[in-house]
């Protein structure tokens, strides 16, 4: 998992640090979804988190990258050991490369 997070964006660096700190992770193997659908869903989440004032990292970038990509996406998730932050990983359909990473602080975190 760590080699996937070799990007230089803040969210990927934070996700890598979370893994080093004992975070749990999962990559769902039960299918992929269209990048356009994820772009729409996470654009709504971006608007919602801005409205609520929730802390995010890389969400705007993830929405842009997903909207630009017309290929299947596989999802993964990293949850920090203290459960305060959840990272969503958007991977290529085969799970072999990271497309984008975003991070949202839990409202109760």
């Amino acid at each position: 998992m760590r080699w996937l997070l070799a990007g230089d964006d803040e969210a990927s660096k934070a996700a890598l640090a979370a893994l080093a700190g004992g975070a749990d992770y999962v990559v769902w193997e039960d299918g992929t979804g269209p990048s356009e659908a994820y772009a729409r869903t996470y654009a709504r989440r971006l608007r919602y988190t801005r409205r609520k004032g929730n802390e995010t990292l890389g969400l705007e970038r993830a929405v842009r990258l997903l909207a630009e990509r017309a290929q299947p996406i596989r999802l993964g998730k990293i949850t920090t050991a203290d459960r305060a932050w959840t990272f969503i990983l958007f991977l290529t359909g085969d799970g072999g490369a990271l497309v984008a990473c975003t991070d949202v602080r839990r409202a109760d975190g």
Side-chain angles (χ1 to χ4, degrees), residues 32 35 45 59 75 79:
T32 61
S35 59
R45 287 185 186 183
L59 185 53
L75 293 179
T79 304

Side-chain angles (χ1 to χ4, degrees), residues 18 24 30-31 37 40 42 45 54-55 62-63 75-76 79 90 94 97 107:
D24 294 325
D30 58 348
R40 284 190 304 274
Y42 282 86
R45 287 185 186 183
N54 294 26
E55 249 182 288
V63 168
L75 293 179
T79 304
F90 301 96
D94 65 1

Side-chain angles (χ1 to χ4, degrees), residues 31-103:
T32 61
S35 59
E36 300 88 356
Y38 288 123
R40 284 190 304 274
T41 297
Y42 282 86
R44 282 191 302 273
R45 287 185 186 183
L46 177 61
R47 289 188 299 274
Y48 178 80
T49 58
R50 283 181 174 163
R51 212 171 35 250
K52 293 294 187 180
N54 294 26
E55 249 182 288
T56 65
L57 189 60
L59 185 53
E60 187 172 336
R61 179 178 183 269
V63 168
R64 179 177 45 80
L65 291 172
L66 290 167
E68 292 171 357
R69 182 177 194 87
Q71 296 176 0
I73 296 292
R74 182 173 306 278
L75 293 179
K77 180 175 80 167
I78 298 173
T79 304
T80 58
D82 65 2
R83 303 278 188 236
W85 290 89
T86 299
F87 297 86
I88 300 298
L89 308 175
F90 301 96
L91 307 166
T92 55
D94 65 1
L98 182 69
V99 173
C101 177
T102 186
D103 181 11

